[in-house]
Amino acid sequence: MSKWYIEKGDQGDIVLSTRIRLARNLREEPFPIKLDAQGKNRVNALIRSAVFENDQNDFSFIEMKDLSRRQAVSLAERHLISPEFAAKKEGSALILSKDESVSIMLCEEDHIRLQVMKAGLDLEGAYDIADKLDSMLDARVHFAFDERIGYLTQCPTNLGTAMRASVMLHLPALTRCGQMTRLANTVSKLGLTVRGAYGEGSQPKGDLYQISNQITLGITEETAIANLKSIVLQLVAQERAAAAELMKNPAEEDKIYRALGVLRLARLLSSDEFMELISLVRLGVARGLLDVPMEKINELIVNMQPATLSVMHSEADGPAARDAARAKIVRETL
Amino acid sequence: MSKWYIEKGDQGDIVLSTRIRLARNLREEPFPIKLDAQGKNRVNALIRSAVFENDQNDFSFIEMKDLSRRQAVSLAERHLISPEFAAKKEGSALILSKDESVSIMLCEEDHIRLQVMKAGLDLEGAYDIADKLDSMLDARVHFAFDERIGYLTQCPTNLGTAMRASVMLHLPALTRCGQMTRLANTVSKLGLTVRGAYGEGSQPKGDLYQISNQITLGITEETAIANLKSIVLQLVAQERAAAAELMKNPAEEDKIYRALGVLRLARLLSSDEFMELISLVRLGVARGLLDVPMEKINELIVNMQPATLSVMHSEADGPAARDAARAKIVRETL
């Protein structure tokens, strides 16, 4: 079954993916932090049976203790679990749909962290699926819910809708023009956050950014989604304008073609260099300069991360072999 | 008619070309430095009629004053004339065969500078042609010749055989291993000179070296050629060994593939960068790593030089347009 990220979605030249995450807790149980392994397993079993009772998503149930470190990190690299969850063992579990578009972390910070991902910009579509799963669970378990506040969560910043909606954007032109700091500041004043989708450094790897809502209290899901969507569309328009301007410079065009040349022939590619070059190639594809399917680019961005690469290709063991395997797969793909 | 450098000759993985140059002067005339324009033209007309009397080489007669600066520099770039000769005007002329393998500078330093070029290592073949032309001229004009010394030339360093034999070698592996300084010193002790074939800097452009005999007095042409050939074959063997060693390093192999990737897709290529990258690609072809015809590489090395590029492609006017035209031709060729 092909994964969700193989598709190219709405505003696909700039928007890679949309993610809706709902946090839920069971009324009868303390938050996971107050539970021992036995207690967590009791919670997990309860949710598991509720989900699998009428499974239409071809779900699998994965206990974190059964995964190798590499497998767990690979899930985090693909944004299917949080980086913190990757280190969890006994008492932590994951429910994952076969196409990886739906993942449910059990006993992470909250009992339930339900996440739906879609290709491109599709906040309503992702929310619709999340909402249906939420309703299905709501009919089978008792959520911790307060009429005045909304859903109760361990961390107060999630109280209310307990919904985090986020969109992953590829903004190479705005990054190159040095506009991202200003834009991130503006966006934060509107109750949203912009941060690098990969890497925590000053310049996010691959010029990929995650923009998400911050406010969950005193707002409906619909309003939060509409706000986010409107800002995303503005960023998309600004990136397109910046890219059009950038493309007028022959030296920038040259960089894009060279990046493709190196990716097509290199024998060794580190993760950082790959992200730098694929970002340029993605910009070239987005602007119609290069004839490479965008789906292939998006798939490579997800799959060429260190742990994911090692899990998918057993020969990619150790940094040197990984760089060689990465280069091989990249040139075969492009 | 295809040019001599299109062919791939003996030891063609490392040897690009062989050149034999004979200096001759007319007995009845002072050296060119002592001649005015009228005197030079008289000398040129005499030699011209001798050469064209029985022309089997499809020669053309070019007066330097009729060439644009760019055309003259292009001839120097292709080693058909000396750089100094490119600046000459009235009284300087060139006789050039259609395949550009034979060129005769008239009234350069000496009255006659006859040069024969061949692809690959072919000292005997080039000398044979030069010798025949020399005999033909000798039968028609009177050379300045001294029984004890040999041919008389303006510069004492050419007295005797007045023959300069040189071989152009591509030595990327020896250069990368930092062995060229040591080798050049050793070679100079054997009466030969090694210098960069292009550019006067510490590292010759494209790792191309010219090795030539220095001694012309008290030695026969055959001995001088045999000495040079023996040293060239030793350098060829050393370069092959160094290259085999270098190829064991995956990072070096990676560099070669990347160079091809950039050359195949770049939109802008400066002359210096082109020479750096084509040298790596040539090494890859020489070692059987890349499947590109060596003739194409050799042809590009000759034709992508600034003035030659401008002469051959009218759109390559000015540095920026030239870099764009160079990139276009290179990617279409590779």
Side-chain angles (χ1 to χ4, degrees), chain B residues 255-317:
Chain B
K255 271 187 208 156
I256 289 171
Y257 280 105
R258 281 163 184 255
L260 181 61
V262 171
L263 289 180
R264 276 195 181 153
L265 278 156
R267 257 56 189 169
L268 295 172
L269 277 177
S270 73
S271 177
D272 283 4
E273 192 192 10
F274 165 75
M275 287 301 273
E276 195 184 315
L277 297 175
I278 201 78
S279 175
L280 283 163
V281 169
R282 199 182 190 284
L283 173 61
V285 172
R287 294 307 117 218
L289 210 62
L290 304 179
D291 186 23
V292 179
M294 191 59 101
E295 293 81 352
K296 286 192 175 185
I297 310 266
N298 293 349
E299 192 182 359
L300 283 176
I301 290 174
V302 174
N303 288 344
M304 290 304 102
Q305 299 175 89
T308 304
L309 183 64
S310 299
V311 169
M312 293 172 72
H313 302 272
S314 57
E315 77 276 18
D317 198 19

Side-chain angles (χ1 to χ4, degrees), chain A residues 18-295:
Chain A
T18 299
R19 188 152 53 125
I20 295 282
R21 195 211 68 203
L22 303 177
R24 298 290 183 262
N25 287 283
L26 303 185
R27 194 195 299 163
E28 305 84 2
E29 295 281 355
F31 289 135
I33 201 168
K34 293 281 190 184
L35 287 171
D36 58 10
Q38 204 188 343
K40 288 182 184 173
N41 284 333
R42 186 176 61 236
V43 167
N44 297 350
L46 191 71
I47 302 163
R48 177 187 185 171
S49 67
V51 170
F52 281 80
E53 202 171 285
N54 187 19
D55 174 21
Q56 297 169 339
N57 288 276
D58 211 353
F59 281 123
S60 48
F61 183 84
I62 300 157
E63 292 203 71
M64 293 305 289
K65 67 176 169 62
D66 296 337
L67 298 183
S68 68
R69 172 78 191 143
R70 200 173 269 179
Q71 288 171 317
V73 173
S74 168
L75 290 170
E77 283 178 349
R78 286 176 284 154
H79 293 288
L80 298 171
I81 62 172
S82 60
E84 301 75 35
F85 201 63
K88 295 276 172 74
K89 291 285 174 194
E90 188 65 57
S92 299
L94 174 71
I95 295 172
L96 186 63
S97 71
K98 201 162 188 181
D99 73 351
E100 297 184 355
S101 69
V102 180
S103 63
I104 309 173
M105 285 187 283
L106 302 181
C107 287
E108 202 240 18
E109 194 178 274
D110 297 297
H111 293 144
I112 299 170
R113 284 277 175 109
L114 189 164
Q115 175 185 282
V116 176
M117 288 180 102
K118 297 276 274 176
L121 181 61
D122 189 7
L123 284 158
E124 297 87 349
Y127 181 71
D128 192 49
I129 296 169
D131 190 40
K132 283 199 172 71
L133 285 162
D134 183 41
S135 303
M136 180 272 290
L137 280 168
D138 198 21
R140 286 168 172 82
V141 298
H142 301 115
F143 284 151
F145 183 82
D146 178 275
E147 282 300 330
R148 203 171 49 94
I149 296 172
Y151 293 100
L152 302 179
T153 54
Q154 189 204 300
C155 182
T157 58
N158 293 320
L159 286 172
T161 60
M163 181 193 79
R164 187 81 65 227
S166 49
V167 175
M168 197 196 287
L169 297 158
H170 182 228
L171 304 173
L174 290 173
T175 305
R176 285 178 176 270
C177 302
Q179 299 216 45
M180 281 313 297
T181 312
R182 183 183 61 76
L183 284 169
N185 284 337
T186 310
V187 163
S188 77
K189 288 178 191 140
L190 301 166
L192 304 171
T193 322
V194 177
R195 55 177 229 281
Y198 296 101
E200 294 296 312
S202 56
Q203 184 169 333
K205 289 181 187 171
D207 308 315
L208 293 167
Y209 297 83
Q210 199 98 251
I211 174 167
S212 51
N213 69 314
Q214 280 302 97
I215 301 165
T216 53
L217 203 57
I219 192 172
T220 64
E221 286 85 352
E222 288 71 19
T223 309
I225 283 175
N227 282 349
L228 177 58
K229 185 175 177 178
S230 133
I231 303 294
V232 165
L233 288 174
Q234 285 177 48
L235 283 173
V236 165
Q238 290 198 38
E239 168 64 20
R240 282 192 195 128
E245 199 54 43
L246 204 68
M247 291 298 103
K248 289 181 190 162
N249 181 351
E252 294 292 335
E253 201 185 273
D254 181 49
K255 272 187 207 156
I256 290 171
Y257 281 105
R258 282 163 183 255
L260 181 60
V262 172
L263 289 179
R264 276 196 180 152
L265 278 156
R267 259 52 190 170
L268 295 171
L269 277 176
S270 72
S271 177
D272 283 4
E273 191 192 9
F274 165 75
M275 287 301 271
E276 195 185 315
L277 296 176
I278 200 79
S279 175
L280 283 164
V281 169
R282 198 181 191 285
L283 173 61
V285 173
R287 292 308 116 216
L289 210 63
L290 305 180
D291 186 24
V292 178
M294 191 60 102
E295 294 81 352

Side-chain angles (χ1 to χ4, degrees), chain A residues 68 70-72 74 78 305-314 316:
Chain A
S68 68
R70 200 173 269 179
Q71 288 171 317
S74 168
R78 286 176 284 154
Q305 298 175 91
T308 303
L309 182 65
S310 299
V311 169
M312 292 172 73
H313 303 273
S314 56

